[in-house]
Amino acid sequence: MNSEASYHLRRQVLWGLVLVGLGVAFLLDQMDVFDIRSLWHYAPLLLVVVGINQTIGYPSAREFSNGLWTVFIGLWLFAVLEGLWGLTFGNSWPLLIIISGITMAVRPIAERRFGQKGGNGHGK
């Protein structure tokens, strides 16, 4: 199995497991076993999981840098919504500029290291 097919398989499995987890959480909430509202503040961490999934076995440098961006956005949203380190939407927006610069700088390095195209020679 080439790396692009492996990537797409892993991506589909991840989304399937996320849906199963959400379904179980909603079912337990409906059965009054668990209060799902206690989990909502962890929702941005789903973006972190998705981003990590994009960076592992990625088919292109673009997917890798997009994965880094997704991880950062998830962590940033979690920190802001939880009020960690005094971060708010109003005082932490410069972090978006910083991570934009980092992903722009990482993409050409990843392209040189791993190539611009996926494992089977088809670019996106």
Side-chain angles (χ1 to χ4, degrees):
M1 180 181 287
N2 64 30
S3 66
E4 188 169 352
S6 174
Y7 169 77
H8 289 295
L9 175 66
R10 190 181 68 254
R11 190 171 171 177
Q12 188 171 357
V13 168
L14 173 74
W15 281 112
L17 291 175
V18 166
L19 286 175
V20 168
L22 285 173
V24 167
F26 284 126
L27 179 64
L28 292 175
D29 184 55
Q30 292 296 315
M31 296 170 63
D32 290 327
V33 174
F34 181 73
D35 183 21
I36 199 167
R37 287 178 286 175
S38 65
L39 289 180
W40 284 120
H41 62 97
Y42 293 113
L45 297 180
L46 284 175
L47 288 173
V48 174
V49 171
V50 169
I52 290 171
N53 188 48
Q54 281 182 301
T55 61
I56 299 172
Y58 52 89
S60 69
R62 174 174 227 111
E63 288 289 334
F64 181 76
S65 61
N66 287 346
L68 289 179
W69 176 255
T70 305
V71 167
F72 174 78
I73 291 297
L75 291 173
W76 175 71
L77 283 173
F78 182 74
V80 167
L81 294 174
E82 292 296 311
L84 300 177
W85 307 293
L87 293 176
T88 66
F89 287 110
N91 70 10
S92 65
W93 64 265
L95 291 173
L96 297 176
I97 297 171
I98 293 168
I99 196 62
S100 293
I102 290 171
T103 56
M104 287 176 73
V106 165
R107 186 175 292 165
I109 294 167
E111 285 174 353
R112 267 200 354 211
R113 173 67 174 95
F114 301 106
Q116 294 181 7
K117 299 182 179 187
N120 66 358
H122 299 297
K124 288 201 170 214

